[in-house]
Amino acid sequence: MTLQSFWRGLPRPLRIVITRLPLIVPQMFGVMLVTFLLVRLLPGDPTLLMLGNTATPESIAALREKLGLDRTVWEQFVAYVGNVLQGDLGVSLFTSNPVTVDLMERAPATLELITYAMILTVIVGVTLAVVSVVRKGGIVDNFSRIYGLAAGAIPDFWVGLLLIFFLFYIAGIVPAPFGRIDAFVTAPPAVTGFYTIDSLIAGDWAAFQSSAGRLLLPVLTLAIVNAGALMKMTKTTFEDIYRSDFIRHQRASGLPGRAIIRSALRNSLPPIITLVGFLFGFLLGAAVLVETIFAWGGLGQYAVQAVINSDYPALQGFVLVAAGFILIVYLIVDILYELADPRIKV
Amino acid sequence: MNPRDPKALLKVDKLTVSFGDNTVLDDVSFTLRRDEVLGIVGETGAGKSVLARALIDLLPEGGKIVSGDVALDGTSILSMNPKQKRELRGGQIALIGTNAKALLDPVEKVGTQVARVLRAHQGGSRGATWKAAVDLFAKVGIVDPERRAHAYPHELSGGMAQRVVIAMALIAHPQVVLADDATLGLDATIQVQVLDLLVRRCRELGLGAVIITHDLGVVANYCDRIAIMREGRIVELKPAGLFLKQPEEPYSGVLLDAARARPTPRGAADASAAKPKTLLQVDKLEKFFTVGGSNKVVRAVDGVSFSVGSGETLALVGESGSGKTTVGQCLVRLLDPGGGRVLFDGNDITTLPEREFRPIRRRIQMVFQEPYVALNPRWPVESLIGEPLALIPKTSGAARAKRVRELLDMVRLPARIADYYPHQLTAGEQKRVGIARALATSPDFVVFDEPTTALDIRVRAQIIDLVRDLQRDMGLSALFITHDLNSVRSLAHYVAVMRHGKIVEHGETETIFARPAEDYTKALLAAELPIEQSEAQRTRALDRHSVEPSLT
């Protein structure tokens, strides 16, 4: 009883986080089980694949013992979980690097790209939606209609190529689409893995300029493609709410226009949060075409490579990281969702 | 500010509003003085709400003020610039709308919402405006205002939300308050509390108030003058006492008659020859709900027992949340009761498996509270009424069509309505279709859930007449779930008063109305607003007019 009243006394945001956070442990465990089984279920003997033509029954048996394949499935799973917890995801068959090292290098590249892309997507999508509802029939409204139609139809690689063609090739105002940072500039020491942030931490202005410049086009590409969907959905939600009784009543109460828009937007947040969370998780792998065009060296490219080369440890590592990332994104979505709408019971 | 200032506070002059080619307000003129409560009465579609919104120049999309003027203290509202208009709305003329819960921002604390209205008009810090809001909450009868101010709208009851909206209207010290059907959908006892409070605050502050409603009882009890609106025009405008005594317009007379309608009560006398056979017996019915996520139990129905004889009508009366609708839903097995028994014609229907209950379903039917919600919007009336006939095996298409026509006739609807869809019907027609649907299988017992709620005065009277005819012609037994005491008096043989899931008083209608035993029943009866103006009110109105006779 006292525990309960103590619980109710906690601020709502804290209660939400405390109830949500522990859930990630069993979820992560489930993900590990699935990624483990994923590889076990694949046909073929990994030892044969690894040894190739030089396989002899003795070498196979030796490798099986080395890899622990002679033990039971559960023993293997326990060993796998143990390795994962120590950060050991195996060695990539293709790059011969430990998968962890590969991922540590590539995951921040993709994360930096899609984080900035999502921020720009939200700014562009929500602003367009709000302005086109508030100033109905205005220029922005008409533009948003055309854009909404086009954004769903134009593929991201094409947008990327157009931007490169016009802004780099013709106008020459943006840096070349080759990787995250200029070849002559040394990357800043890794702290967060985000070049823009790391270079600021290191006080390396040249690296910041270069990495920010390189980000410009791919971020723009992803934002242009994805802001359309977000804009359409925000517009529908916001429009309904902007016409609802309580907004009309706020107008009748003489609240200024800005306060009314803020209030309507605050009420439109839940679906926006959901869609942004979904896009975020989706882009982790789906940005692969844009990564390829801009030679980004991100996760998506790594995953595609792993699939093509039957590089199972790499693939397993990617799935694990991607699933963990999506879990975290959805956790944040859930928390924000409950914060945005007090009607949801904690 | 002199409260006896003879100059009109709000002057509406030949106001005409149209939506496209459709004239909604036609040449409306009236004045409102300080310290006066004006009642505007009209049925749905009379243009009342449009009038309220036109007064703050905030018409719904498509509406346009074609001609005429609205002046506040001699200043024309229509010639104001947008900034002045914003300051006028809520600052000088405040609007209180219907369904308060929908008028509040669902994701903001109510205290903040009231405070930001004050801040929009008079500035001030967050802390100061919050404190002003909490102080006002106490004055509009919100218990524990400090804590309530932190609540979100969904945590408040309808009556509490309405008080918040009233606080929102009063916080910036407006000169005129417009209450547009402000108490629609509230329980009678809450309605009286809210109106008492609103009118008292307006009188204390010397405000001008316009109460817009379709309920003549409200205006008769609270207003100094009454205006009757019909089809966008004000057809009659008179001091309240005078209007109630001698309305001039025939339409006003019709409205008053419909509201007064107290058809001869159906005494138990005509059935006294032989005690009718008991058709339905409810024995210690229980239904508890657990509140999602917690282990709190709501005892919605808590040991309710009653019986209804063949040809008898029992009214189950209570306020919202008393569990009366839950009882009705348990009877037709829309909800499975948690305990107790329901005997229908000798069979215990609580434990019957669904398959065996199905044949009984055609004998026990329900008329739902909100007909528009209960009718499939994609079906025409013919299919809607014909659907329950599927419960009767071997009904041919032709027989079905014939039966639908009979039923339409029975509920006094023209045959052409068979092809209409629900959205093309008026509220009264929807109710009738709902009733026809319930009667389709010639049931022995019908549960009417709030059949007269939220209907216009005349439509309500018509529905009451219809139900009376059905009782007489078909010998129908019925359970009548309502909080409209007026209709109970006209329709039911017996009354059971419910509160917090229990029946607190049970007896013959006449006895209960004449000599209520329980305090709660007395409170319910006292909350009725009869259109006969109460003595005190009338004296006060006369006083006021004798003081300023030149103004009538």
Coordinates of all heavy atoms in Angstrom, one line a residue, chain A residues 5 11 26 31 39 54-55 73 88 149 170 173 206 215 245 249 272 278 289 292 308 328:
Chain A
S5 N 1.4 4.0 -2.9 CA 1.2 5.5 -2.8 C 2.6 6.2 -3.2 O 2.6 7.3 -3.8 CB 0.8 5.9 -1.4 OG 1.7 5.4 -0.5
P11 N 6.7 11.4 -10.4 CA 6.2 12.1 -11.5 C 5.9 11.2 -12.7 O 6.6 10.1 -12.8 CB 7.3 13.1 -11.9 CG 8.4 12.9 -10.9 CD 8.0 11.8 -10.0
P26 N 14.0 -8.7 -21.6 CA 13.4 -9.9 -22.3 C 13.3 -9.7 -23.8 O 13.5 -10.7 -24.6 CB 12.0 -10.1 -21.7 CG 11.7 -8.8 -21.0 CD 13.0 -8.2 -20.6
V31 N 15.4 -11.3 -29.2 CA 16.1 -11.0 -30.4 C 17.3 -11.9 -30.6 O 17.5 -12.4 -31.7 CB 16.5 -9.5 -30.4 CG1 17.4 -9.2 -31.6 CG2 15.3 -8.6 -30.6
V39 N 20.6 -18.3 -38.0 CA 21.8 -18.8 -38.6 C 21.7 -20.4 -38.6 O 22.1 -21.1 -39.5 CB 23.0 -18.2 -38.0 CG1 24.2 -19.0 -38.5 CG2 23.1 -16.8 -38.3
T54 N 39.2 -27.3 -49.4 CA 40.3 -28.0 -48.7 C 39.7 -28.9 -47.6 O 40.5 -29.4 -46.8 CB 41.2 -27.0 -48.1 OG1 40.5 -26.2 -47.1 CG2 41.8 -26.1 -49.1
A55 N 38.4 -29.0 -47.5 CA 37.8 -29.8 -46.4 C 38.2 -31.2 -46.4 O 38.0 -31.9 -47.4 CB 36.3 -29.6 -46.4
V73 N 22.3 -27.7 -29.1 CA 21.8 -26.4 -29.6 C 21.8 -25.4 -28.4 O 22.3 -24.3 -28.5 CB 20.4 -26.5 -30.2 CG1 19.9 -25.2 -30.5 CG2 20.5 -27.4 -31.4
D88 N 31.4 -10.0 -28.4 CA 32.0 -10.8 -29.5 C 31.0 -11.3 -30.4 O 30.1 -12.1 -30.0 CB 32.8 -11.9 -28.8 CG 33.4 -12.8 -29.9 OD1 33.4 -12.5 -31.1 OD2 33.9 -13.9 -29.5
L149 N 1.9 14.4 -53.6 CA 1.8 13.5 -54.7 C 3.1 12.9 -55.2 O 3.3 11.7 -55.3 CB 1.1 14.1 -55.9 CG -0.4 14.2 -56.0 CD1 -0.9 14.9 -57.2 CD2 -0.9 12.7 -56.0
I170 N 26.5 20.5 -61.8 CA 26.2 21.8 -62.5 C 26.6 23.0 -61.7 O 27.4 23.8 -62.1 CB 24.7 21.9 -62.8 CG1 24.2 20.6 -63.6 CG2 24.4 23.2 -63.6 CD1 24.4 20.7 -65.1
I173 N 28.1 23.6 -55.8 CA 28.1 24.3 -54.5 C 28.2 23.3 -53.3 O 28.2 23.7 -52.2 CB 26.9 25.2 -54.3 CG1 25.6 24.4 -54.7 CG2 27.0 26.5 -55.2 CD1 24.3 25.1 -54.5
A206 N 37.9 22.1 -39.4 CA 38.0 21.6 -40.8 C 37.2 20.3 -40.9 O 36.5 20.1 -41.9 CB 39.5 21.4 -41.2
L215 N 27.4 15.6 -45.4 CA 26.0 15.1 -44.9 C 24.9 15.8 -45.7 O 23.8 15.2 -45.9 CB 25.8 15.5 -43.4 CG 26.3 14.5 -42.4 CD1 26.2 15.1 -41.0 CD2 25.3 13.3 -42.4
D245 N -13.9 20.9 -31.9 CA -14.7 21.8 -31.0 C -13.8 22.5 -30.0 O -14.0 23.7 -29.8 CB -15.7 20.9 -30.2 CG -16.9 20.5 -31.0 OD1 -17.0 21.0 -32.1 OD2 -17.6 19.6 -30.6
H249 N -13.5 26.5 -29.6 CA -13.7 27.1 -28.3 C -12.6 28.0 -27.9 O -12.8 29.1 -27.3 CB -14.0 26.1 -27.3 CG -14.5 26.7 -26.0 ND1 -13.8 26.6 -24.8 CD2 -15.6 27.4 -25.7 CE1 -14.4 27.3 -23.9 NE2 -15.5 27.7 -24.4
I272 N 2.2 11.5 -35.1 CA 3.5 12.0 -35.7 C 4.7 11.2 -35.0 O 5.6 10.7 -35.7 CB 3.7 13.5 -35.4 CG1 2.6 14.3 -36.1 CG2 5.1 13.9 -35.9 CD1 2.7 15.8 -35.9
F278 N 8.7 4.9 -36.6 CA 8.7 3.8 -37.7 C 9.7 4.1 -38.8 O 10.5 3.3 -39.2 CB 7.3 3.7 -38.3 CG 7.2 2.9 -39.5 CD1 7.3 1.5 -39.5 CD2 7.2 3.6 -40.8 CE1 7.3 0.8 -40.7 CE2 7.1 2.8 -41.9 CZ 7.2 1.5 -41.9
L289 N 20.3 2.4 -50.6 CA 20.5 3.0 -51.9 C 21.2 4.3 -51.8 O 22.1 4.6 -52.6 CB 19.2 3.1 -52.7 CG 18.6 1.8 -53.2 CD1 17.3 2.0 -53.9 CD2 19.6 1.1 -54.1
T292 N 24.7 3.9 -50.8 CA 25.5 3.4 -52.0 C 25.9 4.6 -52.9 O 27.1 4.8 -53.3 CB 24.8 2.3 -52.8 OG1 24.3 1.4 -51.8 CG2 25.7 1.7 -53.8
I308 N 25.0 -11.0 -49.8 CA 25.5 -11.4 -51.1 C 26.6 -12.5 -50.9 O 26.7 -13.5 -51.7 CB 26.0 -10.2 -51.9 CG1 24.9 -9.4 -52.4 CG2 26.8 -10.7 -53.2 CD1 25.3 -8.0 -53.0
I328 N 15.1 0.1 -29.2 CA 15.3 1.4 -28.4 C 14.4 2.5 -29.0 O 13.8 3.2 -28.3 CB 16.8 1.8 -28.5 CG1 17.6 0.7 -27.6 CG2 17.0 3.2 -27.9 CD1 19.0 0.8 -27.8

